[in-house]
């Protein structure tokens, strides 16, 4: 974990937090932010405890805590977030059919798609 962070987490993002997690629509990510997102997504660490069968984490809660702890130690943040991770994805994992999960879960975990919730 520490080697991964040393090799992949850019100093310029240290302590900035995930400024894009709550945004909807185009985010205008910088190349540095995009590279960090791809590094974390490539390991499945943006959603570490989600089921491995969708090409993502599959880690235990204790393993996910290690990731969170090591990120915090260097001022890193999880670049994958927003409503897809907080609400839509968990709901889909609980109630969606297999086709829906295969279509939507992997892109959420790779940070390729963002979801929002609208109230009227």
């Amino acid at each position: 974990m520490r080697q991964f962070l040393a090799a992949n987490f850019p100093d310029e993002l240290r302590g900035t937090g995930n400024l894009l997690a709550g945004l909807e629509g185009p985010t205008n990510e910088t190349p540095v932010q995009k590279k960090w997102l791809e590094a974390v997504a490539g390991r499945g660490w943006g959603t570490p405890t989600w089921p491995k069968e969708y090409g993502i984490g599959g880690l235990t809660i204790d393993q996910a805590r290690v990731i969170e702890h090591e990120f915090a130690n260097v001022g890193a943040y999880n670049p994958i977030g927003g409503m897809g991770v907080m609400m839509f994805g968990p709901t889909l994992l609980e109630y969606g059919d297999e086709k829906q999960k295969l279509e939507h879960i992997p892109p959420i975990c790779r940070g390729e798609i963002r979801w929002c919730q609208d109230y009227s």
Side-chain angles (χ1 to χ4, degrees):
M1 188 71 229
R2 291 176 184 153
Q3 290 174 340
F4 168 82
L5 287 166
N8 293 282
F9 186 67
D11 285 337
E12 67 192 79
L13 297 180
R14 195 171 306 277
T16 62
N18 188 355
L19 303 174
L20 303 175
L23 296 181
E24 312 196 356
T27 60
N28 300 319
E29 288 175 310
T30 68
V32 172
Q33 290 168 320
K34 181 79 168 153
K35 185 176 178 187
W36 174 235
L37 182 145
E38 290 170 351
V40 173
R43 298 280 183 128
W45 290 347
T47 51
T49 60
W50 288 18
K52 191 174 184 100
E53 60 263 28
Y54 302 108
I56 49 183
L59 302 180
T60 66
I61 291 173
D62 288 337
Q63 291 168 324
R65 285 186 183 128
V66 169
I67 293 170
E68 184 179 318
H69 178 77
E70 294 300 329
F71 275 28
N73 280 343
V74 299
Y77 63 89
N78 183 343
I80 299 176
M83 296 302 287
V85 173
M86 293 185 299
M87 294 194 63
F88 179 70
T91 302
L92 186 60
L93 286 168
E94 182 75 22
Y95 300 106
D97 64 36
E98 196 62 20
K99 182 180 177 196
Q100 292 168 327
K101 292 175 188 179
L102 289 170
E103 179 180 354
H104 299 292
I105 296 297
I108 291 170
C109 297
R110 291 189 302 259
E112 296 172 353
I113 189 168
R114 297 182 192 276
W115 290 85
C116 68
Q117 185 171 358
D118 187 18
Y119 296 96
S120 61

